[in-house]
Amino acid sequence: MRVLGVDPGLTRCGIGVVDVTRDRKATLVGVTVVGTTADEPLDARLLTIARAIDEWLERHEPDVVAVERVFSQMNVSTVMGVAQASGIVIAAAARRGIPVALHTPSEVKAAVTGSGRADKAAVTRMVAKILQLETAPRPADAADALALALAHAWRGSAPGSPSAAGRTTAMTATALTSAQRLWQEAEAKARRGR
């Protein structure tokens, strides 16, 4: 599965692509951060992001796009910028018929670190470890985009997850990393709690 993850924002929009195999081995395909400045007009900033997203979707042809869900406890101006950038990404994927999934920051943190309360440094370290990178992706927006892609790929293929229902696989719980096992356990608890 090829996933394009996006950490949306007007000032810095992280874009990362990973390939994840059925046994959950992940490989970095590419990562970048698209930047705009606050003194640019809003339409120009959104156009910059739209062009970058279009280029990455065309170049990498992902199976799915994973976008960070707008977090309501941010300040209003931050929420607006994130929402505007998210809309650009979602529309670009929709034009190409690529499915889009939204994930909260805590879901992503839990998927890659085992804790929904992990800080940005912990997420960055785990992304580098999972992808076997010699250098951690910088800035944090780059690591966050990759974390989104990883979280989606693992969640979508996790044994017992809705997308894996009815699918037979040789993968067992022993093939999972500790973060993946914690994610699987959290999903099971959430289903039981409904």
Side-chain angles (χ1 to χ4, degrees), residues 2-192:
R2 176 164 286 185
V3 185
L4 185 143
V6 180
D7 181 32
L10 283 179
T11 304
R12 287 182 311 276
C13 183
I15 306 170
V17 181
V18 297
D19 284 339
V20 181
T21 61
R22 282 192 183 265
D23 63 359
R24 295 184 173 217
K25 288 190 174 119
T27 307
L28 173 67
V29 175
V31 65
T32 192
V33 174
V34 178
T36 66
T37 60
D39 60 350
E40 294 177 73
L42 177 61
D43 57 342
R45 297 177 83 183
L46 292 172
L47 183 58
T48 297
I49 293 167
R51 286 179 173 155
I53 290 296
D54 284 340
E55 178 189 335
W56 277 68
L57 290 172
E58 290 296 323
R59 183 187 323 160
H60 297 293
E61 300 179 342
D63 299 306
V64 63
V65 174
V67 181
E68 183 174 279
R69 184 181 300 274
V70 175
F71 188 53
S72 63
Q73 291 180 355
M74 295 176 183
N75 68 47
V76 174
S77 64
T78 302
V79 168
M80 289 302 295
V82 170
Q84 290 163 333
S86 295
I88 294 292
V89 173
I90 293 167
R95 276 194 305 275
R96 292 166 176 79
I98 302 170
V100 175
L102 302 174
H103 299 283
T104 66
S106 59
E107 287 173 338
V108 174
K109 291 173 185 179
V112 298
T113 71
S115 169
R117 296 181 178 201
D119 62 14
K120 285 193 174 287
V123 171
T124 299
R125 278 193 306 275
M126 284 306 294
V127 165
K129 184 175 180 178
I130 291 163
L131 294 173
Q132 299 179 355
L133 304 176
E134 290 182 19
T135 307
R138 300 273 184 231
D141 310 271
D144 289 349
L146 293 170
L148 275 151
L150 291 167
H152 179 79
W154 287 349
R155 181 178 187 183
S157 61
S161 71
S163 65
R167 187 177 64 206
T168 55
T169 176
M171 183 170 52
T172 66
T174 58
L176 304 177
T177 67
S178 60
Q180 292 165 339
R181 276 192 298 280
L182 286 169
W183 178 262
Q184 186 178 11
E185 291 166 13
E187 277 188 326
K189 284 179 188 175
R191 281 193 303 276
R192 285 192 302 266

